[in-house]
Amino acid sequence: KQSYYENPPLLRYNWPNDILFHFSDLQAQLASLTFKKFEQGLLKRRELAKTLIENLAPNIKNMLPNSILNTDDCAYYHFPFFADNNLEEHQRYFLNNGIDTVGYALQINSDEKVFIQFQRNLPNARKIKKSTLFLPIHDDYSKNDMISMATTINAYFHNFHN
């Protein structure tokens, strides 16, 4: 029998019984410590994102989703910005300047065969998939790292897209 996670996408109507399990005391302790660390990391990433936003040029801020500007509402594992459809050019430049951006890697579920009965035209999902890059924001970054990242982004769009 294959595990729940090894099967290809499948429309399920109930949770499989083998997905549920009980934590031991040690596992529960580790989970509790992880949640405490999560909270510290969340606060740090919010401060880093705030620094990044404050140091981006106004025209770059227009390339950000509006909701990303409210630092109290986001977790900021990745910081999205709309980069048009030429993602590879952007990624190459940023990587050459020390910023490892990523695109949106997940498939649009509506396009998957298994979900054909739910298929819809999803223009916003397609826009995110085809024209959004995500900047990394790690807990161990510093304010200076964010300022440097903003400087690199500002220079790129000033020099190459004006």
Side-chain angles (χ1 to χ4, degrees):
K1 178 179 171 184
Q2 284 187 324
S3 122
Y4 175 76
Y5 298 104
E6 292 171 350
N7 291 326
L10 178 67
L11 181 61
R12 298 180 188 272
Y13 296 97
N14 296 310
W15 285 103
N17 288 335
D18 63 347
I19 198 171
L20 304 174
F21 58 94
H22 296 281
F23 282 116
S24 70
D25 288 345
L26 178 60
Q27 290 170 319
Q29 259 184 327
L30 288 171
S32 180
L33 288 171
T34 300
F35 286 129
K36 285 179 188 171
K37 187 173 181 182
F38 169 80
E39 183 67 24
Q40 293 166 347
L42 175 65
L43 296 174
K44 174 83 185 277
R45 287 189 308 280
R46 284 179 173 167
E47 283 303 311
L48 292 171
K50 193 176 197 176
T51 300
L52 179 64
I53 291 167
E54 288 169 354
N55 287 278
L56 289 173
N59 62 317
I60 307 298
K61 290 179 188 176
N62 291 334
M63 299 170 69
L64 303 176
N66 290 333
S67 60
I68 204 80
L69 300 174
N70 184 350
T71 56
D72 292 333
D73 287 343
C74 298
Y76 296 110
Y77 284 103
H78 288 97
F79 190 95
F81 70 96
F82 299 122
D84 72 35
N85 291 329
N86 197 355
L87 295 184
E88 284 184 28
E89 175 189 327
H90 298 308
Q91 283 182 297
R92 189 171 19 265
Y93 174 86
F94 291 131
L95 189 57
N96 287 337
N97 286 278
I99 303 171
D100 190 9
T101 61
V102 295
Y104 193 81
L106 298 176
Q107 296 301 321
I108 297 172
N109 283 344
S110 183
D111 293 345
E112 296 294 317
K113 230 173 22 175
V114 70
F115 299 116
I116 198 74
Q117 73 188 67
F118 303 106
Q119 191 167 32
R120 303 281 184 276
N121 180 22
L122 303 169
N124 291 335
R126 287 197 201 306
K127 180 179 180 179
I128 291 168
K129 175 115 178 113
K130 294 182 187 260
S131 64
T132 305
L133 278 180
F134 298 86
L135 302 166
I137 297 185
H138 301 295
D139 302 2
D140 57 352
Y141 281 179
S142 69
K143 251 183 147 173
N144 287 338
D145 292 329
M146 294 293 101
I147 293 168
S148 175
M149 192 180 293
T151 302
T152 300
I153 294 165
N154 291 338
Y156 174 76
F157 286 101
H158 176 70
N159 293 331
F160 298 105
H161 292 277
N162 270 344

